[in-house]
Amino acid sequence: MRVICAPDKLRGALDAAGAAAALATGVRRAGAEPISLPIGDGGEGTLQALVGAGRARCIELVTVDALGRPRIATLGDLGDGVYLVEAAEAIGLAQLEESERDPRRASSRGVAALLLEAVAREARQVLVALGGVATVDGGLGLLAALGARVEGDSGSALLGRLDVDVSAVRARLAETDLVVLHDVDVPLCGPDGAAALFGPQKGLRAEDVPLFDAGLARLAAALGDGLAERPGAGAAGGLGLALFALGATARPGAEAILELLRFDEHLSRADLCLTAEGSVDRQSARGKAVAAVVAACARAGVPCDVLGGQVSDEAVVALTALGARDVRAIGPAGRPLAEAFAAVAEELAAAAEASVRH
């Protein structure tokens, strides 16, 4: 029996490679053959998954983090003139201490160095993986660093005068096919938008949420009609919006990563697939990696179990409707987070073993 182990990261506990190794341990205990295939969804860890599978080569360069400090980040070379820019490589939320998280100060300008390096290498296509970033600046930092005319380059600039001209940058990138890979399909504004949904975890205070939401709406109006409604516009604190203003197209990140990993080829030789992420919740069926895996398995007729550190009832319903055989938590609810993190590798292994013996 061959079992694909295709988890995303379990944030705070295991990266995708570590989660795949834990699942593989359980598969072997049950007497089956594991096929480890860590995945990503267009957020942080996407480049790592492709490098681990031999689908990307790393190019290191110096840029700045979300607070403007020097940082070494990695650009992915996928071959044939295609490059992968992972925004979280430069401006990842995980790089900041909790006390440093402040969307007013944070800027997306560090992503520009990665994009410009790809262009300098005569990129035919640049995939920009969004998600896991510390910013809610609508991409103003990126636009400024690329040479656009803007009034400011951090989140606080969203709250002031928004006079933006990106025509020079559009001309500069005219020969490069930009593709936004978004991890979740969230709108730019509103109760499920960039500021309201993800702003608080980036340090945005409750009283600032409506101010940033309004600022993103004004920026969208300044950049062009219809951009705010495009899928992915709200990803990465509105970084998707800025890229759309530069002419980028979009596709769900998880779907693109599975294609690059040749996931369907692996499925053709598999009897079961196991996927996992830290929190399986209402966002999981809106473009997250586990949903893409479930959908691919359903098309191929391969049973798929979804495992999570936490699992909501809403996610169970949504993922079962997509075709999952089972959706379940790997451990008891209500534990201290440190205790759950310490147990996650063994609990993943035990859950994998149980799935194989199902």
Side-chain angles (χ1 to χ4, degrees):
M1 184 177 183
R2 291 179 177 175
V3 182
I4 294 178
C5 301
D8 198 352
K9 62 192 167 296
L10 280 76
R11 185 177 281 114
L14 290 174
D15 61 15
L23 291 173
T25 296
V27 169
R28 291 191 195 94
R29 284 183 197 165
E33 176 188 345
I35 301 169
S36 291
L37 198 67
I39 58 173
D41 58 11
E44 75 274 28
T46 295
L47 178 57
Q48 181 186 26
L50 293 172
V51 170
R55 296 290 293 121
R57 180 176 67 87
C58 293
I59 300 167
E60 290 190 341
L61 64 150
V62 177
T63 183
V64 293
D65 70 5
L67 297 180
R69 301 172 298 199
R71 170 171 173 78
I72 296 175
T74 302
L75 173 70
D77 180 356
L78 304 181
D80 194 28
V82 181
Y83 292 83
L84 176 73
V85 170
E86 183 179 309
E89 271 288 306
I91 57 168
L93 180 64
Q95 298 158 16
L96 305 185
E97 299 293 336
E98 209 160 319
S99 60
E100 296 177 320
R101 297 176 181 180
D102 181 0
R104 284 178 175 263
R105 296 170 54 211
S107 170
S108 59
R109 61 183 176 270
V111 179
L114 294 165
L115 179 55
L116 290 174
E117 179 66 22
V119 172
R121 290 171 178 265
E122 300 183 345
R124 174 178 60 84
Q125 183 180 69
V126 180
L127 309 177
V128 186
L130 304 183
V133 305
T135 55
V136 187
D137 72 348
L140 286 173
L142 171 67
L143 294 176
L146 291 175
R149 190 189 73 215
V150 299
E151 296 294 319
D153 66 355
S154 66
S156 61
L158 275 177
L159 311 182
R161 181 169 175 264
L162 291 172
D163 181 13
V164 185
D165 183 353
V166 301
S167 56
V169 182
R170 282 188 66 107
R172 185 180 189 183
L173 301 178
E175 300 302 315
T176 306
D177 178 23
L178 288 178
V179 182
V180 166
L181 304 183
H182 53 88
D183 56 347
V184 288
D185 179 13
V186 297
L188 181 69
C189 304
D192 288 329
L197 198 60
F198 295 112
Q201 72 187 46
K202 300 176 184 184
L204 198 62
R205 296 173 299 185
E207 60 268 29
D208 280 343
V209 167
L211 300 178
F212 273 72
D213 190 65
L216 288 167
R218 290 189 297 113
L219 178 61
L223 288 173
D225 292 339
L227 296 180
E229 287 72 45
R230 293 178 61 178
L239 187 56
L241 171 72
L243 289 163
F244 292 150
L246 299 179
T249 57
R251 67 181 302 194
E255 173 188 291
I257 300 313
L258 292 186
E259 183 178 296
L260 288 167
L261 292 172
R262 301 187 177 116
F263 190 70
D264 286 347
E265 292 180 23
H266 291 285
L267 277 179
S268 69
R269 303 187 296 272
D271 303 292
L272 174 66
C273 180
L274 304 176
T275 187
E277 66 176 345
S279 181
V280 181
D281 54 27
R282 69 191 184 103
Q283 293 296 328
S284 297
R286 294 183 62 179
K288 285 290 191 178
V290 294
V293 169
V294 168
C297 289
R299 290 193 299 268
V302 175
C304 181
D305 287 0
V306 180
L307 309 171
Q310 298 176 329
V311 175
S312 73
D313 292 340
E314 189 176 0
V316 173
V317 172
L319 292 170
T320 300
L322 280 177
R325 182 182 74 168
D326 191 15
V327 184
R328 66 184 190 277
I330 60 174
R335 292 178 293 177
L337 205 54
E339 182 182 324
F341 283 174
V344 76
E346 175 52 36
E347 288 177 348
L348 274 176
E353 182 178 3
S355 285
V356 174
R357 299 185 186 281
H358 183 275

